[in-house]
Amino acid sequence: MHGKALQAFRNNDFTPESAIAEVIDNSIQAKAQNIKIRMEFKKPIGKNKPRPSVMAFGDDGMGMPEKILQKCLVLGESGRGNDRTGIGRFGVGMTNGAISVCNKIQVYARPHQGNWHFVELDLKELDDDGAPYITIIEQKPLPDKYKDLVGDIGTLVIWSDIDRISSDFNTTDLDHWLSRTFRKYIGKKIIKKGKIV
């Protein structure tokens, strides 16, 4: 899909919760045992309440080989062609959801016996034709501040320059929405055999 169309696709029907669910669904399909979300909040100029400025999603799933990673931000590309085990089958969910809330998406992935590689889509970084583009895949280490979100292998997705989530966004409501959607308990504590670990 041509880069200029990405701007038009920002006006879609994704809510922040459903956009986040697309990332989590990808992690579940990658057989992740642990999925972690970290949010940073900032007060916009002239506003009293902070709103999310960065969201990072990490997992310990299978990661992505380089050829899949290079295409993971391209609308209409999918490594799971018509796979019905999750909510995404057509290669538009994760990117479409992300651009509905932010301008910049970074993805790091490492498959078994591979290295960490990186791609980025920045809607404000334009090519000579005035269209946003996806960077060429490159080997790149994880940012230190997000290393704890992933396993030895897995995927890290970072949304930044978030401009379409309001200050009334509530993380407690998000926890509840995600736990109902995925039928899993989501919280800051993990309980095993009746004990918090």
Side-chain angles (χ1 to χ4, degrees):
M1 176 169 292
H2 194 275
K4 287 182 179 177
L6 288 167
Q7 292 291 356
F9 269 80
R10 293 205 76 195
N11 300 310
N12 58 45
D13 292 334
F14 277 91
T15 64
E17 292 82 5
S18 59
I20 290 166
E22 289 287 348
V23 181
I24 292 173
D25 186 62
N26 285 348
S27 295
I28 291 170
Q29 286 196 289
K31 301 186 181 346
Q33 297 298 306
N34 297 284
I35 303 167
K36 299 176 183 176
I37 304 173
R38 179 169 299 145
M39 298 183 195
E40 298 170 26
F41 288 78
K42 187 186 286 186
K43 281 185 185 177
I45 297 170
K47 303 285 183 183
N48 291 328
K49 280 182 76 177
R51 63 177 175 85
S53 57
V54 177
M55 290 188 185
F57 310 84
D59 71 42
D60 57 1
M62 297 184 302
M64 284 181 270
E66 293 173 49
K67 64 181 181 179
I68 300 292
L69 179 62
Q70 182 63 69
K71 295 181 177 181
C72 76
L73 294 174
V74 178
L75 287 174
E77 290 284 344
S78 177
R80 296 191 180 97
N82 212 24
D83 179 352
R84 295 178 184 271
T85 59
I87 60 177
R89 302 199 311 266
F90 307 111
V92 297
M94 197 273 285
T95 303
N96 212 8
I99 64 175
S100 74
V101 299
C102 72
N103 283 294
K104 188 173 183 179
I105 312 154
Q106 298 173 308
V107 183
Y108 295 80
R110 182 185 185 198
H112 180 63
Q113 295 185 332
N115 295 305
W116 286 104
H117 282 82
F118 166 85
V119 292
E120 175 181 285
L121 169 62
D122 187 339
L123 297 178
K124 293 183 176 177
E125 190 72 28
L126 306 178
D127 64 18
D128 293 340
D129 295 324
Y133 60 94
I134 298 162
T135 60
I136 300 297
I137 191 170
E138 63 178 298
Q139 189 172 324
K140 190 172 184 177
L142 290 168
D144 287 338
K145 70 190 293 186
Y146 301 122
K147 282 183 178 177
D148 61 317
L149 300 182
V150 297
D152 289 334
I153 62 173
T155 302
L156 174 69
V157 177
I158 304 168
W159 295 351
S160 56
D161 194 4
I162 294 173
D163 61 348
R164 295 195 176 188
I165 297 181
S166 68
S167 56
D168 59 1
F169 179 79
N170 185 309
T171 56
T172 302
D173 291 343
L174 174 65
D175 287 352
H176 179 72
W177 191 91
L178 290 173
S179 62
R180 285 179 56 90
T181 301
F182 292 103
R183 302 193 183 285
K184 303 279 185 188
Y185 172 75
I186 297 174
K188 295 181 181 176
K189 298 175 181 177
I190 298 173
I191 300 173
K192 288 185 181 174
K193 296 182 182 176
K195 295 183 179 178
I196 296 172
V197 295

